[in-house]
Amino acid sequence: MVDLERLLPALSEGGVEFIIVGGVAAIVHGSARLTVDLDIVYRRNPDNIVRLATVLKPFAPYLRGAPPGLPFRWDAETIQRGLNFTLETSAGPLDVLGEIAGGGTYETLIPHSRKLSVFGIECYCLGLDRLIQAKRDAGRPKDLEVIAELESLREE
Protein backbone atom coordinates (compact mmCIF):
# COMPACT_ATOMS: atom_id res chain seq x y z
CA MET A 1 0.00 0.00 0.00
CA VAL A 2 1.35 3.43 -0.91
CA ASP A 3 2.13 5.92 1.84
CA LEU A 4 0.73 9.14 0.39
CA GLU A 5 1.57 11.05 3.56
CA ARG A 6 5.26 10.47 2.81
CA LEU A 7 5.35 10.68 -0.99
CA LEU A 8 3.13 13.69 -1.65
CA PRO A 9 4.94 16.09 0.71
CA ALA A 10 8.31 14.97 -0.66
CA LEU A 11 7.24 15.58 -4.26
CA SER A 12 5.57 18.89 -3.46
CA GLU A 13 8.29 20.28 -1.20
CA GLY A 14 10.91 19.13 -3.71
CA GLY A 15 9.32 21.30 -6.38
CA VAL A 16 8.41 18.40 -8.68
CA GLU A 17 5.79 19.35 -11.27
CA PHE A 18 3.33 16.45 -11.40
CA ILE A 19 -0.34 15.57 -11.79
CA ILE A 20 -2.04 12.82 -9.80
CA VAL A 21 -3.82 10.41 -12.14
CA GLY A 22 -5.18 6.88 -11.79
CA GLY A 23 -6.75 5.38 -8.70
CA VAL A 24 -5.78 8.12 -6.27
CA ALA A 25 -7.30 10.72 -8.61
CA ALA A 26 -10.50 8.63 -8.71
CA ILE A 27 -10.56 8.52 -4.89
CA VAL A 28 -10.02 12.29 -4.69
CA HIS A 29 -13.12 12.67 -6.89
CA GLY A 30 -15.15 10.41 -4.58
CA SER A 31 -14.55 6.87 -5.81
CA ALA A 32 -14.99 4.16 -3.21
CA ARG A 33 -12.44 1.90 -4.89
CA LEU A 34 -9.20 1.03 -3.19
CA THR A 35 -5.85 1.56 -4.87
CA VAL A 36 -2.46 0.39 -3.70
CA ASP A 37 -0.27 2.69 -5.78
CA LEU A 38 0.19 6.32 -6.69
CA ASP A 39 0.23 7.24 -10.38
CA ILE A 40 1.70 10.58 -11.38
CA VAL A 41 2.39 12.23 -14.71
CA TYR A 42 5.53 14.36 -14.45
CA ARG A 43 6.71 17.28 -16.56
CA ARG A 44 9.54 16.06 -18.80
CA ASN A 45 11.84 19.06 -18.81
CA PRO A 46 15.46 18.79 -17.61
CA ASP A 47 15.02 20.74 -14.35
CA ASN A 48 11.95 18.78 -13.30
CA ILE A 49 13.59 15.47 -14.15
CA VAL A 50 16.53 16.37 -11.87
CA ARG A 51 14.09 17.33 -9.08
CA LEU A 52 12.14 14.08 -9.54
CA ALA A 53 15.32 11.96 -9.41
CA THR A 54 16.58 13.80 -6.32
CA VAL A 55 13.30 13.70 -4.40
CA LEU A 56 12.66 10.00 -4.99
CA LYS A 57 16.21 8.75 -4.41
CA PRO A 58 15.79 8.48 -0.57
CA PHE A 59 12.78 6.21 -1.21
CA ALA A 60 15.09 3.63 -2.89
CA PRO A 61 13.09 3.29 -6.14
CA TYR A 62 13.44 -0.06 -7.90
CA LEU A 63 11.64 -1.43 -10.94
CA ARG A 64 8.50 -3.22 -9.77
CA GLY A 65 8.54 -6.85 -10.80
CA ALA A 66 12.24 -6.86 -11.69
CA PRO A 67 14.32 -9.68 -10.25
CA PRO A 68 16.25 -8.76 -7.11
CA GLY A 69 19.78 -7.67 -7.88
CA LEU A 70 19.04 -6.44 -11.38
CA PRO A 71 21.20 -3.35 -11.86
CA PHE A 72 19.02 -0.25 -11.78
CA ARG A 73 20.11 3.31 -11.16
CA TRP A 74 17.51 5.97 -10.37
CA ASP A 75 18.90 9.25 -11.66
CA ALA A 76 18.11 12.02 -14.13
CA GLU A 77 19.84 10.20 -16.98
CA THR A 78 17.71 7.08 -16.46
CA ILE A 79 14.52 9.14 -16.37
CA GLN A 80 15.52 11.11 -19.47
CA ARG A 81 16.22 7.90 -21.41
CA GLY A 82 12.96 6.31 -20.29
CA LEU A 83 9.39 7.54 -20.13
CA ASN A 84 7.18 5.51 -17.80
CA PHE A 85 8.46 3.75 -14.69
CA THR A 86 6.55 1.35 -12.45
CA LEU A 87 8.48 1.51 -9.21
CA GLU A 88 8.52 -0.10 -5.82
CA THR A 89 9.70 2.39 -3.19
CA SER A 90 10.14 2.39 0.57
CA ALA A 91 6.83 4.30 0.64
CA GLY A 92 5.04 1.77 -1.57
CA PRO A 93 4.24 1.36 -5.26
CA LEU A 94 4.64 4.45 -7.44
CA ASP A 95 4.05 4.81 -11.18
CA VAL A 96 6.06 7.71 -12.58
CA LEU A 97 4.61 8.41 -16.01
CA GLY A 98 5.87 10.72 -18.72
CA GLU A 99 2.71 10.00 -20.68
CA ILE A 100 -0.58 8.15 -20.23
CA ALA A 101 -2.76 6.39 -22.80
CA GLY A 102 -4.31 8.70 -25.33
CA GLY A 103 -1.30 11.02 -25.55
CA GLY A 104 -1.59 12.55 -22.12
CA THR A 105 1.60 14.38 -21.25
CA TYR A 106 1.98 16.87 -18.41
CA GLU A 107 1.52 19.76 -20.85
CA THR A 108 -1.64 18.31 -22.41
CA LEU A 109 -3.15 17.25 -19.07
CA ILE A 110 -2.50 20.35 -16.97
CA PRO A 111 -5.40 22.33 -18.54
CA HIS A 112 -7.68 19.43 -17.51
CA SER A 113 -6.38 19.34 -13.94
CA ARG A 114 -7.33 21.12 -10.75
CA LYS A 115 -5.20 22.11 -7.79
CA LEU A 116 -6.63 20.32 -4.77
CA SER A 117 -5.60 19.54 -1.23
CA VAL A 118 -4.70 15.86 -0.98
CA PHE A 119 -3.70 14.81 2.54
CA GLY A 120 -3.06 18.47 3.25
CA ILE A 121 -0.76 18.91 0.25
CA GLU A 122 -1.75 21.26 -2.57
CA CYS A 123 -1.17 19.42 -5.84
CA TYR A 124 -2.67 18.99 -9.27
CA CYS A 125 -5.16 16.20 -9.79
CA LEU A 126 -6.57 15.18 -13.14
CA GLY A 127 -10.14 16.42 -13.56
CA LEU A 128 -13.01 13.96 -13.62
CA ASP A 129 -13.85 14.28 -17.34
CA ARG A 130 -10.27 13.72 -18.46
CA LEU A 131 -9.80 10.94 -15.90
CA ILE A 132 -12.79 9.09 -17.37
CA GLN A 133 -11.30 9.54 -20.86
CA ALA A 134 -7.90 8.31 -19.65
CA LYS A 135 -9.53 5.19 -18.19
CA ARG A 136 -11.30 4.60 -21.53
CA ASP A 137 -8.06 5.13 -23.46
CA ALA A 138 -6.17 2.68 -21.24
CA GLY A 139 -8.83 0.06 -21.94
CA ARG A 140 -7.70 -2.34 -19.21
CA PRO A 141 -10.50 -4.30 -17.50
CA LYS A 142 -9.80 -2.62 -14.14
CA ASP A 143 -10.01 0.83 -15.78
CA LEU A 144 -13.22 0.02 -17.64
CA GLU A 145 -14.84 -1.23 -14.41
CA VAL A 146 -14.43 2.14 -12.66
CA ILE A 147 -15.83 4.28 -15.51
CA ALA A 148 -19.49 3.75 -14.54
CA GLU A 149 -18.75 4.87 -10.97
CA LEU A 150 -16.82 7.93 -12.16
CA GLU A 151 -19.63 8.87 -14.55
CA SER A 152 -22.12 8.66 -11.65
CA LEU A 153 -19.88 10.92 -9.57
CA ARG A 154 -19.76 13.40 -12.45
CA GLU A 155 -23.56 13.48 -12.63
CA GLU A 156 -23.78 14.24 -8.90
mmCIF file of all heavy atoms in Angstrom, residues 25-65:
data_model
loop_
_atom_site.group_PDB
_atom_site.id
_atom_site.type_symbol
_atom_site.label_atom_id
_atom_site.label_comp_id
_atom_site.label_asym_id
_atom_site.label_seq_id
_atom_site.Cartn_x
_atom_site.Cartn_y
_atom_site.Cartn_z
ATOM 1 N N ALA A 25 -6.470 9.647 -8.051
ATOM 2 C CA ALA A 25 -7.303 10.719 -8.615
ATOM 3 C C ALA A 25 -8.780 10.342 -8.525
ATOM 4 O O ALA A 25 -9.622 11.183 -8.183
ATOM 5 C CB ALA A 25 -6.915 11.010 -10.059
ATOM 6 N N ALA A 26 -9.101 9.081 -8.803
ATOM 7 C CA ALA A 26 -10.498 8.632 -8.707
ATOM 8 C C ALA A 26 -10.999 8.772 -7.264
ATOM 9 O O ALA A 26 -12.112 9.243 -7.038
ATOM 10 C CB ALA A 26 -10.613 7.183 -9.183
ATOM 11 N N ILE A 27 -10.177 8.410 -6.299
ATOM 12 C CA ILE A 27 -10.557 8.523 -4.891
ATOM 13 C C ILE A 27 -10.768 9.986 -4.506
ATOM 14 O O ILE A 27 -11.730 10.324 -3.814
ATOM 15 C CB ILE A 27 -9.499 7.846 -3.990
ATOM 16 C CG1 ILE A 27 -9.553 6.333 -4.186
ATOM 17 C CG2 ILE A 27 -9.712 8.206 -2.526
ATOM 18 C CD1 ILE A 27 -8.378 5.576 -3.593
ATOM 19 N N VAL A 28 -9.877 10.856 -4.975
ATOM 20 C CA VAL A 28 -10.018 12.290 -4.694
ATOM 21 C C VAL A 28 -11.367 12.806 -5.198
ATOM 22 O O VAL A 28 -11.992 13.655 -4.576
ATOM 23 C CB VAL A 28 -8.842 13.088 -5.315
ATOM 24 C CG1 VAL A 28 -9.107 14.582 -5.309
ATOM 25 C CG2 VAL A 28 -7.547 12.772 -4.578
ATOM 26 N N HIS A 29 -11.836 12.252 -6.310
ATOM 27 C CA HIS A 29 -13.119 12.673 -6.887
ATOM 28 C C HIS A 29 -14.310 11.946 -6.266
ATOM 29 O O HIS A 29 -15.443 12.162 -6.669
ATOM 30 C CB HIS A 29 -13.114 12.479 -8.402
ATOM 31 C CG HIS A 29 -12.238 13.447 -9.117
ATOM 32 N ND1 HIS A 29 -12.477 14.806 -9.125
ATOM 33 C CD2 HIS A 29 -11.108 13.263 -9.836
ATOM 34 C CE1 HIS A 29 -11.545 15.417 -9.834
ATOM 35 N NE2 HIS A 29 -10.691 14.506 -10.266
ATOM 36 N N GLY A 30 -14.047 11.048 -5.293
ATOM 37 C CA GLY A 30 -15.145 10.410 -4.580
ATOM 38 C C GLY A 30 -15.310 8.924 -4.801
ATOM 39 O O GLY A 30 -16.235 8.321 -4.257
ATOM 40 N N SER A 31 -14.445 8.310 -5.572
ATOM 41 C CA SER A 31 -14.554 6.870 -5.810
ATOM 42 C C SER A 31 -14.363 6.100 -4.512
ATOM 43 O O SER A 31 -13.542 6.470 -3.670
ATOM 44 C CB SER A 31 -13.498 6.417 -6.829
ATOM 45 O OG SER A 31 -13.490 4.999 -6.928
ATOM 46 N N ALA A 32 -15.101 5.014 -4.391
ATOM 47 C CA ALA A 32 -14.990 4.161 -3.209
ATOM 48 C C ALA A 32 -13.986 3.035 -3.420
ATOM 49 O O ALA A 32 -13.741 2.248 -2.521
ATOM 50 C CB ALA A 32 -16.360 3.566 -2.876
ATOM 51 N N ARG A 33 -13.395 2.970 -4.589
ATOM 52 C CA ARG A 33 -12.443 1.895 -4.890
ATOM 53 C C ARG A 33 -11.131 2.102 -4.152
ATOM 54 O O ARG A 33 -10.714 3.223 -3.900
ATOM 55 C CB ARG A 33 -12.186 1.810 -6.385
ATOM 56 C CG ARG A 33 -13.408 1.351 -7.135
ATOM 57 C CD ARG A 33 -13.098 1.175 -8.608
ATOM 58 N NE ARG A 33 -14.269 0.690 -9.294
ATOM 59 C CZ ARG A 33 -14.496 -0.577 -9.564
ATOM 60 N NH1 ARG A 33 -13.617 -1.490 -9.230
ATOM 61 N NH2 ARG A 33 -15.587 -0.946 -10.184
ATOM 62 N N LEU A 34 -10.494 1.004 -3.867
ATOM 63 C CA LEU A 34 -9.202 1.032 -3.192
ATOM 64 C C LEU A 34 -8.098 0.957 -4.238
ATOM 65 O O LEU A 34 -8.230 0.260 -5.248
ATOM 66 C CB LEU A 34 -9.093 -0.165 -2.244
ATOM 67 C CG LEU A 34 -7.817 -0.293 -1.439
ATOM 68 C CD1 LEU A 34 -7.679 0.898 -0.484
ATOM 69 C CD2 LEU A 34 -7.810 -1.592 -0.661
ATOM 70 N N THR A 35 -7.022 1.674 -4.013
ATOM 71 C CA THR A 35 -5.851 1.564 -4.873
ATOM 72 C C THR A 35 -4.637 1.357 -3.983
ATOM 73 O O THR A 35 -4.610 1.827 -2.842
ATOM 74 C CB THR A 35 -5.670 2.797 -5.782
ATOM 75 O OG1 THR A 35 -4.631 2.539 -6.710
ATOM 76 C CG2 THR A 35 -5.370 4.051 -4.989
ATOM 77 N N VAL A 36 -3.658 0.661 -4.501
ATOM 78 C CA VAL A 36 -2.463 0.388 -3.699
ATOM 79 C C VAL A 36 -1.267 1.212 -4.147
ATOM 80 O O VAL A 36 -0.236 1.206 -3.494
ATOM 81 C CB VAL A 36 -2.097 -1.113 -3.710
ATOM 82 C CG1 VAL A 36 -3.193 -1.940 -3.059
ATOM 83 C CG2 VAL A 36 -1.818 -1.605 -5.120
ATOM 84 N N ASP A 37 -1.412 1.920 -5.279
ATOM 85 C CA ASP A 37 -0.270 2.686 -5.776
ATOM 86 C C ASP A 37 -0.652 4.128 -6.065
ATOM 87 O O ASP A 37 -1.823 4.483 -6.068
ATOM 88 C CB ASP A 37 0.342 2.033 -7.019
ATOM 89 C CG ASP A 37 -0.572 2.080 -8.240
ATOM 90 O OD1 ASP A 37 -1.763 2.451 -8.112
ATOM 91 O OD2 ASP A 37 -0.105 1.750 -9.336
ATOM 92 N N LEU A 38 0.362 4.936 -6.276
ATOM 93 C CA LEU A 38 0.186 6.324 -6.695
ATOM 94 C C LEU A 38 0.684 6.435 -8.118
ATOM 95 O O LEU A 38 1.797 5.997 -8.420
ATOM 96 C CB LEU A 38 0.982 7.264 -5.779
ATOM 97 C CG LEU A 38 1.054 8.737 -6.209
ATOM 98 C CD1 LEU A 38 -0.331 9.383 -6.208
ATOM 99 C CD2 LEU A 38 2.003 9.506 -5.294
ATOM 100 N N ASP A 39 -0.149 6.992 -8.993
ATOM 101 C CA ASP A 39 0.229 7.240 -10.384
ATOM 102 C C ASP A 39 0.356 8.737 -10.578
ATOM 103 O O ASP A 39 -0.590 9.473 -10.283
ATOM 104 C CB ASP A 39 -0.847 6.720 -11.351
ATOM 105 C CG ASP A 39 -1.156 5.245 -11.160
ATOM 106 O OD1 ASP A 39 -0.222 4.446 -11.205
ATOM 107 O OD2 ASP A 39 -2.335 4.915 -10.956
ATOM 108 N N ILE A 40 1.515 9.165 -11.072
ATOM 109 C CA ILE A 40 1.701 10.582 -11.381
ATOM 110 C C ILE A 40 2.218 10.735 -12.799
ATOM 111 O O ILE A 40 2.952 9.889 -13.305
ATOM 112 C CB ILE A 40 2.667 11.284 -10.395
ATOM 113 C CG1 ILE A 40 4.076 10.697 -10.475
ATOM 114 C CG2 ILE A 40 2.120 11.248 -8.980
ATOM 115 C CD1 ILE A 40 5.142 11.537 -9.783
ATOM 116 N N VAL A 41 1.803 11.815 -13.437
ATOM 117 C CA VAL A 41 2.391 12.233 -14.710
ATOM 118 C C VAL A 41 3.289 13.416 -14.372
ATOM 119 O O VAL A 41 2.851 14.372 -13.727
ATOM 120 C CB VAL A 41 1.303 12.638 -15.736
ATOM 121 C CG1 VAL A 41 1.938 13.249 -16.981
ATOM 122 C CG2 VAL A 41 0.452 11.435 -16.103
ATOM 123 N N TYR A 42 4.552 13.329 -14.790
ATOM 124 C CA TYR A 42 5.527 14.360 -14.453
ATOM 125 C C TYR A 42 5.904 15.166 -15.693
ATOM 126 O O TYR A 42 5.842 14.671 -16.814
ATOM 127 C CB TYR A 42 6.794 13.734 -13.834
ATOM 128 C CG TYR A 42 7.545 12.816 -14.768
ATOM 129 C CD1 TYR A 42 8.678 13.273 -15.439
ATOM 130 C CD2 TYR A 42 7.130 11.508 -14.993
ATOM 131 C CE1 TYR A 42 9.377 12.437 -16.308
ATOM 132 C CE2 TYR A 42 7.816 10.680 -15.852
ATOM 133 C CZ TYR A 42 8.938 11.147 -16.508
ATOM 134 O OH TYR A 42 9.619 10.325 -17.378
ATOM 135 N N ARG A 43 6.256 16.412 -15.463
ATOM 136 C CA ARG A 43 6.714 17.285 -16.559
ATOM 137 C C ARG A 43 8.110 16.817 -16.977
ATOM 138 O O ARG A 43 8.990 16.654 -16.155
ATOM 139 C CB ARG A 43 6.759 18.736 -16.114
ATOM 140 C CG ARG A 43 7.270 19.659 -17.203
ATOM 141 C CD ARG A 43 7.183 21.100 -16.805
ATOM 142 N NE ARG A 43 6.222 21.707 -17.718
ATOM 143 C CZ ARG A 43 5.587 22.821 -17.504
ATOM 144 N NH1 ARG A 43 5.757 23.490 -16.388
ATOM 145 N NH2 ARG A 43 4.765 23.299 -18.398
ATOM 146 N N ARG A 44 8.278 16.600 -18.290
ATOM 147 C CA ARG A 44 9.543 16.059 -18.800
ATOM 148 C C ARG A 44 10.476 17.157 -19.299
ATOM 149 O O ARG A 44 10.928 17.128 -20.434
ATOM 150 C CB ARG A 44 9.268 15.050 -19.911
ATOM 151 C CG ARG A 44 8.800 13.719 -19.340
ATOM 152 C CD ARG A 44 8.763 12.628 -20.362
ATOM 153 N NE ARG A 44 10.004 12.404 -21.070
ATOM 154 C CZ ARG A 44 11.019 11.669 -20.630
ATOM 155 N NH1 ARG A 44 10.966 11.103 -19.432
ATOM 156 N NH2 ARG A 44 12.088 11.499 -21.371
ATOM 157 N N ASN A 45 10.792 18.112 -18.443
ATOM 158 C CA ASN A 45 11.843 19.057 -18.811
ATOM 159 C C ASN A 45 13.048 18.757 -17.922
ATOM 160 O O ASN A 45 12.925 18.114 -16.877
ATOM 161 C CB ASN A 45 11.371 20.513 -18.712
ATOM 162 C CG ASN A 45 11.056 20.959 -17.300
ATOM 163 O OD1 ASN A 45 11.648 20.495 -16.339
ATOM 164 N ND2 ASN A 45 10.113 21.867 -17.167
ATOM 165 N N PRO A 46 14.246 19.176 -18.340
ATOM 166 C CA PRO A 46 15.463 18.785 -17.607
ATOM 167 C C PRO A 46 15.448 19.144 -16.120
ATOM 168 O O PRO A 46 15.845 18.320 -15.284
ATOM 169 C CB PRO A 46 16.579 19.527 -18.357
ATOM 170 C CG PRO A 46 16.045 19.694 -19.744
ATOM 171 C CD PRO A 46 14.561 19.911 -19.573
ATOM 172 N N ASP A 47 15.017 20.338 -15.771
ATOM 173 C CA ASP A 47 15.020 20.738 -14.354
ATOM 174 C C ASP A 47 14.082 19.874 -13.530
ATOM 175 O O ASP A 47 14.413 19.461 -12.412
ATOM 176 C CB ASP A 47 14.634 22.210 -14.197
ATOM 177 C CG ASP A 47 15.700 23.159 -14.720
ATOM 178 O OD1 ASP A 47 16.873 22.738 -14.851
ATOM 179 O OD2 ASP A 47 15.367 24.317 -15.014
ATOM 180 N N ASN A 48 12.904 19.591 -14.041
ATOM 181 C CA ASN A 48 11.945 18.777 -13.298
ATOM 182 C C ASN A 48 12.423 17.333 -13.172
ATOM 183 O O ASN A 48 12.211 16.692 -12.142
ATOM 184 C CB ASN A 48 10.555 18.839 -13.941
ATOM 185 C CG ASN A 48 9.477 18.395 -12.976
ATOM 186 O OD1 ASN A 48 9.368 18.924 -11.874
ATOM 187 N ND2 ASN A 48 8.695 17.420 -13.387
ATOM 188 N N ILE A 49 13.060 16.827 -14.204
ATOM 189 C CA ILE A 49 13.590 15.467 -14.147
ATOM 190 C C ILE A 49 14.655 15.363 -13.056
ATOM 191 O O ILE A 49 14.686 14.397 -12.295
ATOM 192 C CB ILE A 49 14.114 15.033 -15.535
ATOM 193 C CG1 ILE A 49 12.910 14.750 -16.447
ATOM 194 C CG2 ILE A 49 15.035 13.827 -15.438
ATOM 195 C CD1 ILE A 49 13.257 14.468 -17.893
ATOM 196 N N VAL A 50 15.520 16.363 -12.942
ATOM 197 C CA VAL A 50 16.527 16.367 -11.875
ATOM 198 C C VAL A 50 15.837 16.400 -10.511
ATOM 199 O O VAL A 50 16.206 15.656 -9.591
ATOM 200 C CB VAL A 50 17.515 17.553 -12.043
ATOM 201 C CG1 VAL A 50 18.368 17.743 -10.793
ATOM 202 C CG2 VAL A 50 18.385 17.346 -13.271
ATOM 203 N N ARG A 51 14.819 17.248 -10.356
ATOM 204 C CA ARG A 51 14.092 17.326 -9.079
ATOM 205 C C ARG A 51 13.435 15.978 -8.749
ATOM 206 O O ARG A 51 13.496 15.508 -7.611
ATOM 207 C CB ARG A 51 13.047 18.444 -9.119
ATOM 208 C CG ARG A 51 13.637 19.840 -9.072
ATOM 209 C CD ARG A 51 12.573 20.912 -8.882
ATOM 210 N NE ARG A 51 11.617 20.999 -9.972
ATOM 211 C CZ ARG A 51 11.739 21.806 -11.025
ATOM 212 N NH1 ARG A 51 12.793 22.602 -11.135
ATOM 213 N NH2 ARG A 51 10.815 21.836 -11.958
ATOM 214 N N LEU A 52 12.815 15.365 -9.742
ATOM 215 C CA LEU A 52 12.144 14.077 -9.542
ATOM 216 C C LEU A 52 13.150 13.011 -9.106
ATOM 217 O O LEU A 52 12.899 12.262 -8.147
ATOM 218 C CB LEU A 52 11.446 13.657 -10.840
ATOM 219 C CG LEU A 52 10.693 12.334 -10.825
ATOM 220 C CD1 LEU A 52 9.537 12.372 -9.836
ATOM 221 C CD2 LEU A 52 10.188 12.009 -12.232
ATOM 222 N N ALA A 53 14.286 12.942 -9.772
ATOM 223 C CA ALA A 53 15.316 11.963 -9.413
ATOM 224 C C ALA A 53 15.808 12.197 -7.990
ATOM 225 O O ALA A 53 15.940 11.253 -7.199
ATOM 226 C CB ALA A 53 16.482 12.039 -10.403
ATOM 227 N N THR A 54 16.053 13.445 -7.646
ATOM 228 C CA THR A 54 16.576 13.801 -6.323
ATOM 229 C C THR A 54 15.578 13.499 -5.221
ATOM 230 O O THR A 54 15.927 12.914 -4.190
ATOM 231 C CB THR A 54 16.959 15.296 -6.301
ATOM 232 O OG1 THR A 54 17.919 15.538 -7.334
ATOM 233 C CG2 THR A 54 17.520 15.707 -4.961
ATOM 234 N N VAL A 55 14.332 13.888 -5.430
ATOM 235 C CA VAL A 55 13.296 13.701 -4.403
ATOM 236 C C VAL A 55 13.032 12.224 -4.133
ATOM 237 O O VAL A 55 12.846 11.821 -2.979
ATOM 238 C CB VAL A 55 11.991 14.420 -4.826
ATOM 239 C CG1 VAL A 55 10.799 13.942 -4.033
ATOM 240 C CG2 VAL A 55 12.154 15.921 -4.697
ATOM 241 N N LEU A 56 13.013 11.405 -5.174
ATOM 242 C CA LEU A 56 12.658 10.000 -4.987
ATOM 243 C C LEU A 56 13.827 9.127 -4.546
ATOM 244 O O LEU A 56 13.611 8.033 -4.011
ATOM 245 C CB LEU A 56 12.032 9.433 -6.264
ATOM 246 C CG LEU A 56 10.650 9.983 -6.604
ATOM 247 C CD1 LEU A 56 10.104 9.299 -7.847
ATOM 248 C CD2 LEU A 56 9.682 9.833 -5.436
ATOM 249 N N LYS A 57 15.039 9.575 -4.739
ATOM 250 C CA LYS A 57 16.214 8.753 -4.406
ATOM 251 C C LYS A 57 16.180 8.213 -2.969
ATOM 252 O O LYS A 57 16.451 7.031 -2.750
ATOM 253 C CB LYS A 57 17.498 9.513 -4.670
ATOM 254 C CG LYS A 57 18.718 8.615 -4.638
ATOM 255 C CD LYS A 57 19.851 9.219 -5.418
ATOM 256 C CE LYS A 57 20.970 8.222 -5.552
ATOM 257 N NZ LYS A 57 20.966 7.527 -6.796
ATOM 258 N N PRO A 58 15.836 9.022 -1.949
ATOM 259 C CA PRO A 58 15.790 8.483 -0.574
ATOM 260 C C PRO A 58 14.748 7.376 -0.374
ATOM 261 O O PRO A 58 14.810 6.643 0.609
ATOM 262 C CB PRO A 58 15.444 9.699 0.286
ATOM 263 C CG PRO A 58 15.800 10.880 -0.542
ATOM 264 C CD PRO A 58 15.605 10.467 -1.970
ATOM 265 N N PHE A 59 13.812 7.246 -1.297
ATOM 266 C CA PHE A 59 12.782 6.213 -1.209
ATOM 267 C C PHE A 59 13.223 4.903 -1.871
ATOM 268 O O PHE A 59 12.431 3.976 -2.002
ATOM 269 C CB PHE A 59 11.468 6.699 -1.833
ATOM 270 C CG PHE A 59 10.831 7.828 -1.068
ATOM 271 C CD1 PHE A 59 11.027 9.142 -1.455
ATOM 272 C CD2 PHE A 59 10.039 7.575 0.041
ATOM 273 C CE1 PHE A 59 10.442 10.193 -0.760
ATOM 274 C CE2 PHE A 59 9.448 8.611 0.751
ATOM 275 C CZ PHE A 59 9.649 9.923 0.353
ATOM 276 N N ALA A 60 14.487 4.838 -2.305
ATOM 277 C CA ALA A 60 15.090 3.632 -2.894
ATOM 278 C C ALA A 60 14.236 3.039 -4.017
ATOM 279 O O ALA A 60 13.861 1.868 -3.974
ATOM 280 C CB ALA A 60 15.360 2.596 -1.805
ATOM 281 N N PRO A 61 13.923 3.825 -5.067
ATOM 282 C CA PRO A 61 13.088 3.290 -6.140
ATOM 283 C C PRO A 61 13.763 2.135 -6.877
ATOM 284 O O PRO A 61 14.969 2.174 -7.135
ATOM 285 C CB PRO A 61 12.887 4.488 -7.076
ATOM 286 C CG PRO A 61 13.829 5.532 -6.640
ATOM 287 C CD PRO A 61 14.361 5.182 -5.306
ATOM 288 N N TYR A 62 12.964 1.119 -7.167
ATOM 289 C CA TYR A 62 13.438 -0.058 -7.897
ATOM 290 C C TYR A 62 12.310 -0.494 -8.823
ATOM 291 O O TYR A 62 11.134 -0.329 -8.496
ATOM 292 C CB TYR A 62 13.788 -1.173 -6.906
ATOM 293 C CG TYR A 62 14.541 -2.321 -7.525
ATOM 294 C CD1 TYR A 62 15.871 -2.179 -7.908
ATOM 295 C CD2 TYR A 62 13.922 -3.539 -7.736
ATOM 296 C CE1 TYR A 62 16.568 -3.231 -8.482
ATOM 297 C CE2 TYR A 62 14.607 -4.604 -8.307
ATOM 298 C CZ TYR A 62 15.932 -4.445 -8.672
ATOM 299 O OH TYR A 62 16.610 -5.485 -9.252
ATOM 300 N N LEU A 63 12.651 -1.022 -9.964
ATOM 301 C CA LEU A 63 11.636 -1.430 -10.938
ATOM 302 C C LEU A 63 10.747 -2.528 -10.361
ATOM 303 O O LEU A 63 11.228 -3.589 -9.972
ATOM 304 C CB LEU A 63 12.297 -1.922 -12.219
ATOM 305 C CG LEU A 63 13.071 -0.867 -13.001
ATOM 306 C CD1 LEU A 63 13.832 -1.515 -14.152
ATOM 307 C CD2 LEU A 63 12.136 0.220 -13.514
ATOM 308 N N ARG A 64 9.458 -2.257 -10.294
ATOM 309 C CA ARG A 64 8.504 -3.219 -9.765
ATOM 310 C C ARG A 64 8.486 -4.457 -10.664
ATOM 311 O O ARG A 64 8.398 -4.356 -11.878
ATOM 312 C CB ARG A 64 7.108 -2.600 -9.691
ATOM 313 C CG ARG A 64 6.133 -3.443 -8.904
ATOM 314 C CD ARG A 64 4.762 -2.799 -8.713
ATOM 315 N NE ARG A 64 4.796 -1.362 -8.578
ATOM 316 C CZ ARG A 64 3.990 -0.547 -9.242
ATOM 317 N NH1 ARG A 64 3.099 -1.010 -10.081
ATOM 318 N NH2 ARG A 64 4.066 0.751 -9.058
ATOM 319 N N GLY A 65 8.586 -5.601 -10.056
ATOM 320 C CA GLY A 65 8.544 -6.853 -10.802
ATOM 321 C C GLY A 65 9.893 -7.306 -11.334
ATOM 322 O O GLY A 65 10.007 -8.418 -11.845
#
